[in-house]
């Protein structure tokens, strides 16, 4: 059954403050968690019950050992993760405001993931996959960018769906015009585009999603999934829009919330073995959005990203409790 998810991109260590509400320079101690947006998405899908695999390169160092261990424990297929003695595993220090929102400082000048290249991709890696997923952090000029292009070409040739969440991290780009140009280049390859309300204007030039949708749907894209945090989400297709309201919860940490949302949405598509995205009814799309909203909300009630993500049984019980 070709319903595995194949993710590609960065896996890193997030260092999260043990006390919220402090500026990064004032934080005295941190807790480490495994993170990286595409790794988080793959983790969400796996925890919910769909097999997945991840393509990246990690440093041959203790941080890389820890990430592989965490991904293994989550059930992710790590057999295609390369190790590198020249590069280092990336680190990110995350400062949490009192409301759970974040400020990042990345350490990835010599990051091993950017050294992953086209030769590292197994020729049969997509033989059991129904979808690939990637983000924009690893689309800087590097061997890894070329590896993304290769995997996307393979996916399109094999009728494997392509999902793209830009997940913008401005501090990692020297030239923001280059970031915008690169994101828009890769949007053209995606069947599913996930974009947040905070990213919309930078990427598209529009402040209203309805003005941006025609352009976003003008290439390969069948779905534009628009997220609005606690205010819910919308999915736009050529037939219109489906909306689902969000969930109000006691937020502890928003790290990985967007990743858990799109992971849950992709899980629904893979679980139902959707071949034709255009064939999904509006009622079904609404149920997918509602599940993804709940899953992301649940993730924010706990600290960490991948470590905070629930399995299917846990989130369904949680949703039932919320709706009583």
């Amino acid at each position: 059954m070709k319903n595995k998810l194949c993710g590609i991109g960065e896996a890193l260590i997030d260092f999260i403050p043990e006390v919220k509400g402090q500026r990064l320079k004032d934080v005295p101690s941190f807790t480490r968690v495994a993170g990286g947006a595409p790794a988080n998405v793959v983790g969400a899908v796996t925890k919910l019950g769909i097999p997945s695999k991840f393509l990246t390169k990690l440093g041959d160092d203790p941080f890389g050992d820890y990430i592989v261990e965490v991904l293994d424990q989550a059930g992710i297929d790590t057999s295609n993760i390369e190790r590198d003695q020249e590069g280092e595993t990336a680190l990110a220090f995350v400062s949490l405001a009192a409301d759970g929102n974040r400020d990042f400082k990345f350490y990835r000048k010599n990051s091993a993931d950017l050294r992953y290249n086209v030769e590292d991709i197994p020729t049969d890696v997509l033989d059991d996959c129904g979808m690939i997923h990637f983000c924009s952090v690893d689309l800087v000029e590097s061997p890894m960018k070329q590896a993304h292009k290769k995997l996307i070409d393979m996916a399109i040739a094999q009728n494997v769906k392509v999902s793209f969440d830009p997940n913008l991290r401005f501090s990692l780009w020297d030239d923001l015009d280059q970031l915008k140009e690169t994101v828009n280049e890769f949007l053209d390859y995606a069947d599913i585009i996930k974009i947040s309300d905070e990213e919309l204007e930078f990427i598209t030039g529009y402040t209203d999603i309805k003005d941006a949708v025609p352009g976003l749907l003008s290439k390969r894209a069948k779905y534009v999934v628009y997220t609005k945090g606690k205010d819910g989400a919308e999915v736009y297709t050529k037939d219109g829009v489906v909306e689902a309201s969000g969930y109000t919860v006691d937020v502890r940490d928003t790290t990985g919330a967007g990743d858990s949302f799109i992971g849950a949405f992709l899980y629904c598509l893979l679980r139902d073995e959707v071949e034709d995205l255009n064939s999904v009814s509006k009622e079904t799309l609404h149920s997918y959005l509602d599940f993804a909203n709940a899953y992301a909300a649940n993730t924010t009630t706990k600290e960490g990203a991948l470590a905070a993500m629930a399995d299917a049984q846990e989130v369904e019980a949680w949703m039932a409790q919320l709706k009583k």
Side-chain angles (χ1 to χ4, degrees):
M1 187 165 58
K2 289 187 58 171
N3 75 330
K4 284 187 178 180
L5 175 67
C6 179
I8 185 171
E10 78 280 4
L12 47 78
I13 302 289
D14 283 325
F15 284 94
I16 297 176
E18 294 186 350
V19 179
K20 289 197 298 185
Q22 294 178 314
R23 297 177 62 184
L24 199 52
K25 73 177 184 65
D26 298 321
V27 176
S29 58
F30 298 83
T31 299
R32 67 169 186 178
V33 296
N40 290 338
V41 172
V42 167
V45 169
T46 307
K47 285 192 169 186
L48 285 167
I50 294 293
S52 67
K53 60 184 70 173
F54 193 59
L55 308 183
T56 194
K57 186 170 284 189
L58 298 169
D60 189 14
D61 54 36
F63 290 126
D65 295 341
Y66 172 70
I67 289 173
V68 171
E69 183 178 295
V70 171
L71 298 186
D72 279 336
Q73 289 174 348
I76 298 165
D77 178 354
T78 60
S79 62
N80 296 297
I81 293 180
E82 302 289 329
R83 305 300 293 272
D84 191 282
Q85 294 188 345
E86 301 297 323
E88 299 168 342
T89 302
L91 310 178
F93 288 81
V94 186
S95 179
L96 297 174
D99 62 2
N101 284 312
R102 302 155 293 155
D103 181 29
F104 289 95
K105 173 60 180 174
F106 290 92
Y107 289 84
R108 47 183 285 119
K109 297 285 188 193
N110 185 36
S111 194
D113 52 294
L114 296 177
R115 296 167 57 83
Y116 188 86
N117 61 68
V118 295
E119 288 78 20
D120 292 320
I121 302 176
T123 57
D124 62 351
V125 72
L126 297 181
D127 286 356
D128 54 357
C129 293
M131 190 178 297
I132 68 169
H133 179 78
F134 66 101
C135 304
S136 73
V137 163
D138 268 6
L139 297 182
V140 296
E141 288 302 326
S142 64
M144 180 55 114
K145 179 181 179 180
Q146 299 309 312
H148 276 69
K149 288 186 174 181
K150 173 66 175 177
L151 188 68
I152 291 166
D153 287 344
M154 291 169 61
I156 292 172
Q158 297 178 49
N159 293 316
V160 173
K161 295 175 183 63
V162 178
S163 168
F164 179 31
D165 174 5
N167 194 51
L168 303 177
R169 294 291 179 262
F170 296 112
S171 64
L172 294 177
W173 292 75
D174 295 328
D175 184 342
L176 294 186
D177 289 335
Q178 184 64 42
L179 168 59
K180 181 174 182 177
E181 181 180 325
T182 300
V183 167
N184 278 280
E185 173 191 353
F186 279 83
L187 287 175
D188 290 350
Y189 304 130
D191 298 292
I192 300 166
I193 296 168
K194 184 260 186 190
I195 190 167
S196 75
D197 51 358
E198 296 175 343
E199 298 169 330
L200 180 67
E201 184 174 7
F202 177 83
I203 293 172
T204 69
Y206 293 104
T207 56
D208 189 328
I209 181 63
K210 293 179 177 61
D211 294 327
V213 163
L216 293 170
L217 290 175
S218 66
K219 304 290 185 178
R220 288 183 56 86
K222 312 298 188 299
Y223 294 166
V224 175
V225 183
Y226 183 60
T227 59
K228 304 178 291 183
K230 63 181 176 56
D231 295 322
E234 303 161 359
V235 59
Y236 289 83
T237 72
K238 289 183 170 65
D239 292 329
V241 59
V242 177
E243 304 177 52
S245 57
Y247 290 83
T248 300
V249 296
D250 182 14
V251 174
R252 291 186 63 185
D253 181 6
T254 58
T255 304
D259 305 330
S260 63
F261 173 92
I262 192 60
F265 185 82
L266 299 182
Y267 157 77
C268 292
L269 291 168
L270 292 164
R271 177 199 61 199
D272 294 349
E273 298 181 44
V274 174
E275 292 291 336
D276 179 6
L277 296 176
N278 290 323
S279 71
V280 182
S281 71
K282 289 189 174 183
E283 291 77 16
T284 300
L285 280 176
H286 181 272
S287 72
Y288 290 176
L289 284 180
D290 183 52
F291 180 78
N293 282 334
Y295 193 75
N298 179 270
T299 301
T300 68
T301 65
K302 295 165 279 187
E303 290 188 353
L306 180 55
M309 294 178 187
D311 60 25
Q313 185 176 6
E314 181 184 346
V315 74
E316 285 167 8
W318 187 76
M319 288 177 70
Q321 186 67 30
L322 281 180
K323 293 181 178 181
K324 279 186 177 179

